[in-house]
Amino acid sequence: MSTQYQDDTTLKASRSKTAPPPLYKVLLLNDDFTPMDFVVAVLQQFFYMDETKATRVMLQVHTEGKGVCGVYTKDVAATKVEQVSQHARAHQQPLQCVMEEN
């Protein structure tokens, strides 16, 4: 596709390639105080997991020290981390939620 002007100047349309945005994992970190049912409830409420998947991720957090809640763009991941952190503080739980580049 080109555009020609009266002075015989031709401009060629060029396509710039854009890379997809980097993705970030949202993780819950294990601690010795947050009840398991609270973690399951957080996973269901903020990450829309069913009870089975939420329980599986909670057990991963418990046994491996951390568990992946989801993979999102930077802004969405940061929002999820903040929502979970505020919810945990409001319920006086030490649950930690962090993000790391995928």
Side-chain angles (χ1 to χ4, degrees):
M1 178 171 148
S2 64
T3 305
Q4 190 157 11
Y5 293 97
Q6 286 183 331
D7 63 354
D8 290 334
T9 304
T10 302
L11 298 177
K12 302 246 184 211
S14 64
R15 294 183 185 239
S16 61
K17 294 194 178 205
T18 57
L23 297 177
Y24 291 79
K25 291 188 274 191
V26 176
L27 305 163
L28 290 181
L29 305 180
N30 188 41
D31 63 69
D32 293 332
F33 303 103
T34 306
M36 292 179 177
D37 59 337
F38 183 82
V39 175
V40 170
V42 164
L43 291 165
Q44 289 177 308
Q45 181 177 349
F46 295 101
F47 300 98
Y48 309 108
M49 293 182 189
D50 61 32
E51 188 172 4
T52 303
K53 183 168 182 177
T55 301
R56 207 173 313 127
V57 173
M58 176 273 298
L59 289 172
Q60 181 183 24
V61 171
H62 181 68
T63 59
E64 298 176 22
K66 63 183 177 179
V68 178
C69 305
V71 179
Y72 306 95
T73 59
K74 186 175 186 177
D75 291 341
V76 174
T79 300
K80 296 276 187 189
V81 168
E82 185 59 31
Q83 288 174 334
V84 170
S85 298
Q86 284 182 358
H87 182 74
R89 281 194 305 271
H91 290 84
Q92 300 176 347
Q93 299 296 332
L95 181 64
Q96 292 183 9
C97 186
V98 297
M99 61 189 253
E100 66 181 35
E101 194 162 359
N102 193 13

XYZ file of all heavy atoms in Angstrom:
806
model
N 0.848 -1.171 0.000
C 0.000 0.000 0.000
C 0.889 1.227 0.000
O 1.763 1.359 0.841
C -0.859 -0.044 1.267
C -1.760 1.122 1.418
S -2.878 0.755 2.800
C -3.103 2.357 3.412
N 0.671 2.108 -0.906
C 1.461 3.330 -0.958
C 0.544 4.503 -1.250
O -0.544 4.349 -1.796
C 2.567 3.228 -2.000
O 1.999 3.107 -3.273
N 1.010 5.662 -0.890
C 0.259 6.878 -1.126
C 1.128 7.783 -1.979
O 2.291 8.000 -1.675
C -0.062 7.579 0.216
O -0.723 6.651 1.063
C -0.941 8.789 0.004
N 0.544 8.316 -3.068
C 1.320 9.175 -3.952
C 0.759 10.584 -3.847
O -0.453 10.798 -3.911
C 1.260 8.685 -5.391
C 2.233 9.411 -6.273
C 2.579 8.602 -7.494
O 1.958 7.603 -7.778
N 3.569 9.043 -8.226
N 1.676 11.537 -3.679
C 1.291 12.932 -3.581
C 1.596 13.625 -4.896
O 2.259 13.078 -5.781
C 2.044 13.616 -2.427
C 1.612 13.079 -1.075
C 2.351 12.093 -0.436
C 0.462 13.546 -0.469
C 1.950 11.589 0.783
C 0.058 13.053 0.744
C 0.799 12.070 1.377
O 0.394 11.579 2.578
N 1.116 14.864 -5.055
C 1.258 15.576 -6.322
C 2.707 15.838 -6.716
O 3.020 15.939 -7.881
C 0.515 16.914 -6.264
C -0.992 16.706 -6.350
C -1.736 18.022 -6.376
O -1.283 19.014 -5.828
N -2.891 18.019 -7.020
N 3.611 15.917 -5.781
C 5.000 16.184 -6.139
C 5.773 14.896 -6.407
O 6.986 14.861 -6.336
C 5.686 17.026 -5.067
C 5.764 16.303 -3.733
O 5.182 15.201 -3.607
O 6.415 16.838 -2.823
N 5.044 13.809 -6.700
C 5.600 12.504 -7.038
C 6.367 11.850 -5.877
O 7.193 10.987 -6.101
C 6.515 12.586 -8.271
C 5.710 12.856 -9.536
O 4.507 12.490 -9.541
O 6.265 13.411 -10.482
N 6.101 12.253 -4.670
C 6.694 11.603 -3.513
C 5.819 10.417 -3.151
O 4.608 10.533 -3.042
C 6.764 12.563 -2.309
O 7.467 13.723 -2.704
C 7.425 11.911 -1.133
N 6.427 9.286 -3.020
C 5.677 8.088 -2.676
C 6.065 7.651 -1.277
O 7.243 7.500 -0.962
C 5.982 6.948 -3.664
O 5.664 7.403 -4.975
C 5.163 5.710 -3.343
N 5.067 7.450 -0.437
C 5.308 6.966 0.914
C 4.869 5.511 0.974
O 3.783 5.170 0.546
C 4.512 7.781 1.941
C 4.847 9.254 2.037
C 3.907 9.925 3.037
C 6.284 9.435 2.487
N 5.704 4.695 1.452
C 5.381 3.277 1.590
C 4.939 3.023 3.029
O 5.575 3.483 3.969
C 6.597 2.413 1.284
C 7.139 2.645 -0.100
C 6.953 1.431 -0.916
C 7.609 1.703 -2.266
N 6.999 1.043 -3.317
N 3.864 2.297 3.144
C 3.394 1.936 4.477
C 4.302 0.849 5.039
O 4.660 -0.095 4.336
C 1.964 1.433 4.413
N 4.676 1.006 6.257
C 5.512 -0.008 6.877
C 4.797 -0.538 8.110
O 4.069 0.175 8.783
C 6.879 0.561 7.251
O 6.711 1.565 8.227
N 5.017 -1.779 8.355
C 4.412 -2.397 9.520
C 5.480 -2.578 10.591
O 6.540 -3.121 10.320
C 3.822 -3.763 9.160
C 2.660 -3.647 8.220
C 2.071 -5.014 7.963
N 1.038 -4.892 6.973
C -0.221 -5.242 7.190
N -0.570 -5.762 8.330
N -1.117 -5.096 6.255
N 5.165 -2.111 11.755
C 6.099 -2.312 12.853
C 5.646 -3.537 13.635
O 4.457 -3.750 13.851
C 6.152 -1.087 13.761
O 4.884 -0.846 14.309
N 6.590 -4.311 14.001
C 6.266 -5.518 14.759
C 6.340 -5.190 16.244
O 7.314 -4.624 16.706
C 7.225 -6.647 14.424
C 7.077 -7.096 12.991
C 7.766 -8.400 12.767
C 7.515 -8.802 11.325
N 7.587 -10.194 11.107
N 5.297 -5.564 16.936
C 5.294 -5.349 18.376
C 5.342 -6.706 19.062
O 4.671 -7.649 18.660
C 4.029 -4.596 18.835
O 2.887 -5.321 18.418
C 3.980 -3.197 18.237
N 6.145 -6.757 20.066
C 6.267 -8.001 20.835
C 5.135 -8.044 21.855
O 4.670 -7.011 22.331
C 7.606 -8.032 21.542
N 4.680 -9.232 22.184
C 3.656 -9.314 23.233
C 4.249 -8.843 24.558
O 5.459 -8.942 24.774
C 3.306 -10.807 23.276
C 4.458 -11.500 22.648
C 5.068 -10.535 21.679
N 3.409 -8.320 25.430
C 3.943 -7.834 26.704
C 4.490 -8.984 27.544
O 4.015 -10.116 27.435
C 2.717 -7.202 27.380
C 1.549 -7.874 26.758
C 1.965 -8.209 25.358
N 5.483 -8.702 28.377
C 6.013 -9.762 29.241
C 4.941 -10.199 30.242
O 4.104 -9.398 30.661
C 7.198 -9.107 29.945
C 6.968 -7.644 29.828
C 6.162 -7.431 28.587
N 4.977 -11.457 30.601
C 4.004 -11.995 31.539
C 4.660 -12.239 32.897
O 5.862 -12.490 32.983
C 3.404 -13.290 30.990
C 2.624 -13.138 29.684
C 2.148 -14.500 29.189
C 1.446 -12.203 29.860
N 3.838 -12.176 33.926
C 4.315 -12.331 35.296
C 3.497 -13.384 36.025
O 2.271 -13.435 35.879
C 4.206 -10.997 36.050
C 5.176 -9.967 35.535
C 4.906 -9.253 34.367
C 6.371 -9.734 36.186
C 5.807 -8.328 33.876
C 7.276 -8.804 35.704
C 6.988 -8.101 34.550
O 7.885 -7.200 34.063
N 4.195 -14.211 36.804
C 3.523 -15.212 37.635
C 3.155 -14.563 38.959
O 3.966 -13.850 39.542
C 4.447 -16.406 37.920
C 4.745 -17.259 36.733
C 5.490 -18.505 37.154
C 6.972 -18.220 37.208
N 7.797 -19.416 37.362
N 1.942 -14.837 39.414
C 1.531 -14.414 40.750
C 1.664 -15.646 41.641
O 1.135 -16.713 41.330
C 0.087 -13.875 40.755
C -0.356 -13.540 42.170
C -0.028 -12.656 39.850
N 2.401 -15.487 42.739
C 2.716 -16.603 43.627
C 2.232 -16.329 45.044
O 2.283 -15.191 45.510
C 4.230 -16.816 43.678
C 4.958 -17.020 42.358
C 6.441 -16.797 42.521
C 4.694 -18.402 41.838
N 1.797 -17.378 45.716
C 1.558 -17.320 47.152
C 2.734 -18.009 47.821
O 3.215 -19.033 47.337
C 0.260 -18.038 47.524
C -1.036 -17.366 47.099
C -2.230 -18.198 47.570
C -1.133 -15.957 47.638
N 3.186 -17.440 48.937
C 4.320 -17.992 49.670
C 3.843 -18.659 50.950
O 2.922 -18.175 51.614
C 5.329 -16.891 49.995
C 5.851 -16.085 48.805
C 6.844 -15.034 49.278
C 6.464 -16.984 47.753
N 4.490 -19.735 51.304
C 4.118 -20.493 52.493
C 4.524 -19.749 53.762
O 5.530 -19.055 53.801
C 4.789 -21.864 52.474
C 4.284 -22.766 53.575
O 3.101 -22.797 53.860
N 5.184 -23.507 54.195
N 3.697 -19.896 54.784
C 4.051 -19.455 56.126
C 3.448 -20.463 57.100
O 2.673 -21.322 56.711
C 3.561 -18.029 56.411
C 2.059 -17.905 56.362
O 1.380 -18.447 57.262
O 1.543 -17.253 55.428
N 3.817 -20.369 58.358
C 3.359 -21.353 59.344
C 2.086 -20.930 60.078
O 1.673 -21.604 61.017
C 4.468 -21.605 60.375
C 5.667 -22.296 59.759
O 5.483 -23.025 58.765
O 6.791 -22.097 60.260
N 1.472 -19.831 59.663
C 0.361 -19.294 60.431
C -0.962 -19.199 59.677
O -2.018 -19.327 60.288
C 0.738 -17.911 60.977
C 1.987 -17.953 61.804
C 3.186 -17.511 61.280
C 1.978 -18.469 63.086
C 4.352 -17.559 62.029
C 3.143 -18.527 63.843
C 4.323 -18.072 63.316
N -0.932 -18.929 58.371
C -2.166 -18.760 57.611
C -2.879 -20.097 57.472
O -2.286 -21.064 56.996
C -1.865 -18.187 56.206
O -1.100 -16.995 56.351
C -3.151 -17.888 55.463
N -4.159 -20.162 57.873
C -4.896 -21.424 57.750
C -5.076 -21.843 56.289
O -5.222 -21.001 55.399
C -6.259 -21.109 58.383
C -6.056 -19.870 59.182
C -4.935 -19.125 58.536
N -5.056 -23.129 56.066
C -5.188 -23.656 54.709
C -6.516 -23.269 54.078
O -6.570 -22.969 52.879
C -5.022 -25.170 54.717
C -3.631 -25.621 55.048
S -3.537 -27.425 55.067
C -1.815 -27.662 55.382
N -7.593 -23.258 54.862
C -8.890 -22.906 54.292
C -8.942 -21.435 53.879
O -9.631 -21.074 52.916
C -10.045 -23.259 55.241
C -9.945 -22.568 56.596
O -8.837 -22.181 56.997
O -11.002 -22.440 57.255
N -8.167 -20.562 54.539
C -8.082 -19.164 54.126
C -7.399 -19.061 52.763
O -7.844 -18.304 51.892
C -7.316 -18.333 55.168
C -7.260 -16.870 54.840
C -8.325 -16.036 55.142
C -6.137 -16.321 54.235
C -8.276 -14.682 54.827
C -6.078 -14.979 53.921
C -7.148 -14.146 54.224
N -6.332 -19.828 52.570
C -5.613 -19.827 51.287
C -6.529 -20.324 50.172
O -6.584 -19.728 49.090
C -4.325 -20.676 51.371
C -3.644 -20.760 50.009
C -3.370 -20.106 52.412
N -7.269 -21.386 50.427
C -8.204 -21.910 49.423
C -9.243 -20.846 49.077
O -9.553 -20.617 47.902
C -8.877 -23.218 49.914
C -10.016 -23.623 48.999
C -7.850 -24.332 50.013
N -9.769 -20.166 50.082
C -10.772 -19.117 49.849
C -10.190 -17.970 49.015
O -10.863 -17.445 48.120
C -11.307 -18.601 51.177
N -8.943 -17.593 49.285
C -8.276 -16.536 48.512
C -8.148 -16.957 47.047
O -8.433 -16.180 46.130
C -6.893 -16.198 49.113
C -6.024 -15.419 48.130
C -7.054 -15.429 50.409
N -7.728 -18.182 46.826
C -7.567 -18.677 45.452
C -8.895 -18.706 44.716
O -8.965 -18.396 43.516
C -6.918 -20.064 45.466
C -5.455 -20.075 45.921
C -5.005 -21.492 46.246
C -4.562 -19.446 44.864
N -9.954 -19.038 45.396
C -11.274 -19.062 44.768
C -11.772 -17.643 44.493
O -12.308 -17.370 43.421
C -12.272 -19.793 45.664
C -12.029 -21.284 45.724
C -12.976 -21.977 46.671
O -13.111 -21.595 47.831
N -13.644 -23.007 46.167
N -11.587 -16.752 45.453
C -12.125 -15.403 45.328
C -11.364 -14.535 44.327
O -11.973 -13.852 43.513
C -12.121 -14.712 46.693
C -12.684 -13.307 46.664
C -12.726 -12.676 48.043
O -12.534 -13.340 49.046
N -12.979 -11.381 48.086
N -10.046 -14.572 44.373
C -9.257 -13.653 43.554
C -8.735 -14.255 42.254
O -8.394 -13.524 41.325
C -8.080 -13.101 44.371
C -8.530 -12.243 45.520
C -8.557 -12.743 46.802
C -8.961 -10.951 45.302
C -8.980 -11.963 47.865
C -9.398 -10.160 46.354
C -9.415 -10.668 47.641
N -8.676 -15.595 42.189
C -8.138 -16.241 40.987
C -9.170 -17.150 40.318
O -8.846 -17.871 39.380
C -6.852 -17.006 41.333
C -5.791 -16.096 41.879
C -5.595 -15.971 43.247
C -5.017 -15.321 41.033
C -4.641 -15.105 43.760
C -4.056 -14.457 41.528
C -3.867 -14.351 42.898
N -10.393 -17.124 40.821
C -11.536 -17.814 40.219
C -11.300 -19.302 39.995
O -11.699 -19.866 38.987
C -11.963 -17.123 38.918
C -12.155 -15.644 39.109
C -11.252 -14.728 38.590
C -13.230 -15.167 39.852
C -11.423 -13.361 38.788
C -13.404 -13.806 40.058
C -12.506 -12.910 39.521
O -12.680 -11.567 39.729
N -10.626 -19.932 40.959
C -10.378 -21.374 40.877
C -11.541 -22.122 41.527
O -12.136 -21.634 42.485
C -9.091 -21.740 41.612
C -7.850 -21.197 40.988
S -6.400 -21.750 41.919
C -5.135 -20.767 41.143
N -11.812 -23.321 41.006
C -12.780 -24.166 41.703
C -12.094 -24.756 42.931
O -10.879 -24.626 43.119
C -13.353 -25.252 40.787
C -12.295 -26.200 40.243
O -11.297 -26.463 40.941
O -12.473 -26.697 39.115
N -12.869 -25.390 43.793
C -12.331 -25.863 45.068
C -11.216 -26.889 44.886
O -10.215 -26.875 45.609
C -13.445 -26.451 45.931
C -12.988 -26.774 47.329
C -14.125 -27.175 48.255
O -15.263 -27.275 47.806
O -13.834 -27.401 49.447
N -11.355 -27.756 43.898
C -10.349 -28.785 43.668
C -9.011 -28.174 43.269
O -7.963 -28.513 43.826
C -10.826 -29.773 42.577
O -12.076 -30.321 42.987
C -9.817 -30.867 42.339
N -9.040 -27.250 42.301
C -7.796 -26.628 41.848
C -7.193 -25.754 42.955
O -5.976 -25.748 43.158
C -8.030 -25.798 40.591
C -6.749 -25.206 40.057
C -6.880 -24.635 38.689
C -5.504 -24.130 38.262
N -5.490 -23.614 36.931
N -8.049 -25.031 43.680
C -7.561 -24.184 44.773
C -6.882 -25.029 45.850
O -5.834 -24.648 46.380
C -8.711 -23.377 45.362
N -7.452 -26.181 46.141
C -6.855 -27.074 47.131
C -5.509 -27.597 46.639
O -4.535 -27.672 47.397
C -7.807 -28.244 47.453
O -9.030 -27.696 47.945
C -7.217 -29.189 48.475
N -5.428 -27.920 45.358
C -4.176 -28.408 44.775
C -3.078 -27.344 44.879
O -1.942 -27.639 45.259
C -4.412 -28.797 43.314
C -3.472 -29.854 42.806
C -3.793 -30.373 41.410
N -5.190 -30.696 41.206
C -5.950 -30.228 40.207
N -5.438 -29.426 39.307
N -7.214 -30.565 40.091
N -3.417 -26.092 44.553
C -2.429 -25.011 44.624
C -2.044 -24.745 46.081
O -0.868 -24.537 46.401
C -2.957 -23.725 43.946
C -2.016 -22.548 44.172
C -3.156 -23.964 42.450
N -3.025 -24.783 46.985
C -2.736 -24.581 48.404
C -1.763 -25.641 48.908
O -0.826 -25.339 49.653
C -4.041 -24.625 49.211
C -3.867 -24.516 50.716
S -3.563 -26.084 51.559
C -5.045 -26.990 51.213
N -1.950 -26.885 48.493
C -1.038 -27.957 48.909
C 0.355 -27.761 48.319
O 1.359 -28.076 48.959
C -1.606 -29.319 48.539
C -2.812 -29.755 49.378
C -3.427 -31.029 48.815
C -2.425 -29.930 50.838
N 0.418 -27.224 47.105
C 1.711 -26.911 46.500
C 2.419 -25.826 47.313
O 3.623 -25.918 47.576
C 1.529 -26.450 45.050
C 2.826 -26.131 44.347
C 2.618 -25.600 42.937
O 1.559 -25.061 42.610
N 3.626 -25.740 42.109
N 1.680 -24.808 47.728
C 2.247 -23.757 48.567
C 2.770 -24.373 49.870
O 3.882 -24.079 50.312
C 1.190 -22.665 48.870
C 1.710 -21.680 49.916
C 0.788 -21.938 47.603
N 1.983 -25.246 50.454
C 2.327 -25.860 51.740
C 3.558 -26.764 51.644
O 4.429 -26.732 52.504
C 1.125 -26.648 52.262
C 1.353 -27.299 53.582
N 1.502 -26.569 54.745
C 1.463 -28.603 53.934
C 1.693 -27.411 55.749
N 1.682 -28.645 55.289
N 3.640 -27.563 50.580
C 4.722 -28.544 50.481
C 5.980 -28.008 49.796
O 7.093 -28.410 50.132
C 4.260 -29.813 49.740
O 3.805 -29.455 48.426
C 3.151 -30.514 50.501
N 5.811 -27.109 48.824
C 6.961 -26.623 48.051
C 7.404 -25.215 48.437
O 8.387 -24.710 47.908
C 6.642 -26.679 46.564
C 6.376 -28.096 46.068
C 5.966 -28.141 44.607
O 6.268 -27.184 43.858
O 5.347 -29.146 44.214
N 6.633 -24.552 49.295
C 7.014 -23.216 49.723
C 6.388 -22.089 48.939
O 6.355 -20.946 49.386
N 5.912 -22.385 47.742
C 5.217 -21.383 46.935
C 4.364 -22.092 45.896
O 4.602 -23.252 45.558
C 6.186 -20.417 46.265
C 7.148 -21.051 45.273
C 8.103 -20.009 44.742
C 9.127 -20.640 43.800
N 10.051 -19.641 43.266
N 3.368 -21.387 45.414
C 2.484 -21.948 44.404
C 2.042 -20.877 43.435
O 1.841 -19.718 43.818
N 1.905 -21.246 42.178
C 1.509 -20.309 41.125
C -0.011 -20.183 41.101
O -0.726 -21.171 40.969
C 2.026 -20.778 39.742
C 1.568 -19.822 38.650
C 3.533 -20.907 39.753
N -0.467 -18.950 41.220
C -1.906 -18.665 41.187
C -2.375 -18.362 39.772
O -3.539 -18.584 39.441
C -2.221 -17.464 42.061
S -1.658 -17.643 43.739
N -1.496 -17.809 38.957
C -1.852 -17.462 37.588
C -0.724 -16.696 36.937
O 0.235 -16.279 37.601
N -0.843 -16.490 35.627
C 0.147 -15.744 34.848
C -0.595 -14.624 34.129
O -1.578 -14.869 33.429
C 0.870 -16.661 33.835
C 1.888 -15.880 33.020
C 1.534 -17.833 34.559
N -0.121 -13.391 34.325
C -0.832 -12.215 33.837
C 0.150 -11.182 33.290
O 1.351 -11.277 33.516
C -1.615 -11.558 34.984
C -2.534 -12.495 35.713
C -2.128 -13.133 36.887
C -3.803 -12.760 35.235
C -2.971 -13.998 37.559
C -4.658 -13.630 35.901
C -4.236 -14.247 37.064
O -5.076 -15.110 37.716
N -0.399 -10.160 32.621
C 0.416 -9.005 32.257
C 0.822 -8.287 33.537
O 0.251 -8.515 34.604
C -0.351 -8.039 31.339
O -1.534 -7.606 32.021
C -0.705 -8.687 30.005
N 1.794 -7.402 33.436
C 2.367 -6.763 34.626
C 1.312 -6.033 35.456
O 1.274 -6.159 36.682
C 3.479 -5.801 34.208
C 4.231 -5.209 35.377
C 5.392 -4.361 34.906
C 6.218 -3.884 36.085
N 7.374 -3.117 35.638
N 0.469 -5.247 34.817
C -0.529 -4.464 35.550
C -1.543 -5.348 36.254
O -1.901 -5.099 37.408
C -1.261 -3.493 34.618
C -0.364 -2.374 34.114
O 0.689 -2.123 34.740
O -0.718 -1.746 33.100
N -2.002 -6.378 35.581
C -2.983 -7.284 36.182
C -2.345 -8.040 37.338
O -2.941 -8.179 38.415
C -3.566 -8.255 35.130
C -4.469 -9.293 35.780
C -4.332 -7.482 34.055
N -1.116 -8.507 37.154
C -0.415 -9.234 38.221
C -0.221 -8.335 39.436
O -0.460 -8.761 40.577
C 0.930 -9.752 37.720
N 0.181 -7.101 39.225
C 0.386 -6.175 40.339
C -0.925 -5.913 41.078
O -0.946 -5.828 42.315
C 0.984 -4.868 39.837
N -2.005 -5.813 40.341
C -3.315 -5.610 40.961
C -3.712 -6.807 41.801
O -4.192 -6.657 42.932
C -4.380 -5.326 39.881
O -4.004 -4.144 39.168
C -5.754 -5.141 40.493
N -3.512 -8.006 41.279
C -3.838 -9.228 42.026
C -3.022 -9.308 43.312
O -3.554 -9.636 44.377
C -3.582 -10.476 41.178
C -4.437 -10.610 39.945
C -5.756 -11.219 40.278
C -6.529 -11.504 38.993
N -7.892 -11.908 39.283
N -1.725 -9.015 43.225
C -0.857 -9.045 44.409
C -1.376 -8.067 45.455
O -1.481 -8.402 46.643
C 0.607 -8.718 44.024
C 1.457 -8.454 45.258
C 1.195 -9.853 43.199
N -1.722 -6.872 45.033
C -2.210 -5.862 45.972
C -3.546 -6.273 46.588
O -3.756 -6.102 47.797
C -2.342 -4.504 45.266
C -2.717 -3.373 46.185
C -1.736 -3.148 47.326
O -0.536 -3.408 47.169
O -2.192 -2.719 48.414
N -4.461 -6.810 45.787
C -5.757 -7.246 46.305
C -5.599 -8.338 47.361
O -6.218 -8.278 48.430
C -6.647 -7.758 45.173
C -7.170 -6.686 44.260
C -7.917 -7.271 43.067
O -7.674 -8.397 42.636
N -8.840 -6.496 42.521
N -4.784 -9.333 47.057
C -4.579 -10.442 48.000
C -3.893 -9.936 49.263
O -4.286 -10.304 50.385
C -3.773 -11.581 47.342
C -3.356 -12.624 48.371
C -4.591 -12.227 46.226
N -2.900 -9.078 49.119
C -2.181 -8.550 50.277
C -3.109 -7.740 51.179
O -3.082 -7.883 52.405
C -0.999 -7.695 49.825
O -0.079 -8.481 49.098
N -3.950 -6.898 50.594
C -4.905 -6.114 51.378
C -5.911 -7.017 52.079
O -6.246 -6.808 53.249
C -5.644 -5.116 50.488
C -4.839 -3.914 50.114
C -5.624 -2.935 49.263
O -6.777 -3.165 48.906
N -4.991 -1.829 48.908
N -6.388 -8.033 51.382
C -7.352 -8.974 51.955
C -6.729 -9.720 53.142
O -7.365 -9.876 54.191
C -7.826 -9.952 50.877
C -8.838 -10.930 51.334
N -10.152 -10.585 51.573
C -8.745 -12.254 51.614
C -10.817 -11.659 51.974
N -9.982 -12.692 52.003
N -5.499 -10.157 52.989
C -4.815 -10.877 54.063
C -4.622 -9.969 55.281
O -4.880 -10.384 56.423
C -3.476 -11.412 53.577
N -4.199 -8.731 55.048
C -4.026 -7.791 56.162
C -5.351 -7.507 56.861
O -5.418 -7.449 58.086
C -3.410 -6.482 55.667
C -1.912 -6.556 55.461
C -1.293 -5.172 55.303
N -1.908 -4.367 54.240
C -1.528 -4.365 52.972
N -0.533 -5.144 52.581
N -2.122 -3.597 52.087
N -6.415 -7.337 56.066
C -7.732 -7.047 56.636
C -8.225 -8.186 57.521
O -8.991 -7.965 58.454
C -8.737 -6.772 55.525
N -7.785 -9.409 57.221
C -8.171 -10.578 58.004
C -7.065 -11.026 58.961
O -7.097 -12.139 59.476
C -8.585 -11.725 57.073
C -9.877 -11.451 56.386
N -9.962 -10.712 55.223
C -11.143 -11.778 56.721
C -11.228 -10.622 54.862
N -11.970 -11.253 55.754
N -6.091 -10.145 59.163
C -4.981 -10.366 60.092
C -4.254 -11.683 59.838
O -3.917 -12.429 60.756
C -5.479 -10.280 61.534
C -6.071 -8.931 61.848
C -6.654 -8.839 63.233
O -6.849 -9.840 63.905
N -6.922 -7.626 63.668
N -3.990 -11.935 58.565
C -3.242 -13.125 58.154
C -1.917 -12.684 57.541
O -1.865 -11.684 56.821
C -4.036 -13.953 57.131
C -5.353 -14.481 57.637
C -5.177 -15.464 58.779
O -4.165 -16.135 58.895
N -6.181 -15.539 59.636
N -0.842 -13.428 57.779
C 0.473 -13.043 57.237
C 0.730 -13.554 55.813
O 1.871 -13.525 55.344
C 1.439 -13.691 58.225
C 0.725 -14.922 58.679
C -0.737 -14.521 58.738
N -0.291 -14.003 55.125
C -0.134 -14.556 53.773
C 0.570 -13.557 52.872
O 0.205 -12.388 52.812
C -1.504 -14.912 53.189
C -1.519 -15.530 51.792
C -0.815 -16.880 51.805
C -2.950 -15.671 51.300
N 1.604 -14.036 52.167
C 2.349 -13.177 51.244
C 2.053 -13.579 49.811
O 2.047 -14.762 49.459
C 3.838 -13.296 51.495
C 4.276 -12.717 52.807
C 5.781 -12.787 52.974
O 6.506 -13.125 52.044
N 6.252 -12.471 54.159
N 1.831 -12.561 48.995
C 1.581 -12.758 47.569
C 2.592 -11.897 46.832
O 2.763 -10.713 47.140
C 0.149 -12.321 47.238
S -0.351 -12.671 45.549
N 3.293 -12.499 45.866
C 4.327 -11.788 45.113
C 4.166 -12.108 43.633
O 3.427 -12.999 43.245
C 5.751 -12.189 45.586
C 5.971 -11.788 47.032
C 5.995 -13.667 45.383
N 4.911 -11.344 42.830
C 4.925 -11.625 41.392
C 6.365 -11.694 40.917
O 7.250 -11.063 41.498
C 4.140 -10.551 40.614
C 4.664 -9.159 40.730
S 3.541 -7.943 40.020
C 4.438 -7.508 38.544
N 6.582 -12.514 39.896
C 7.908 -12.602 39.280
C 7.735 -12.805 37.785
O 6.735 -13.370 37.340
C 8.742 -13.724 39.896
C 8.241 -15.113 39.661
C 9.100 -16.188 40.323
O 9.637 -15.953 41.411
O 9.204 -17.260 39.737
N 8.698 -12.323 37.030
C 8.605 -12.411 35.575
C 8.622 -13.889 35.169
O 9.372 -14.691 35.708
C 9.743 -11.658 34.901
C 9.492 -11.437 33.433
C 10.361 -10.350 32.832
O 11.155 -9.750 33.555
O 10.206 -10.115 31.632
N 7.775 -14.202 34.215
C 7.605 -15.589 33.770
C 8.755 -16.029 32.884
O 9.224 -15.428 32.039
C 6.268 -15.735 33.027
C 5.877 -17.153 32.815
O 6.442 -18.064 33.402
N 4.908 -17.362 31.977
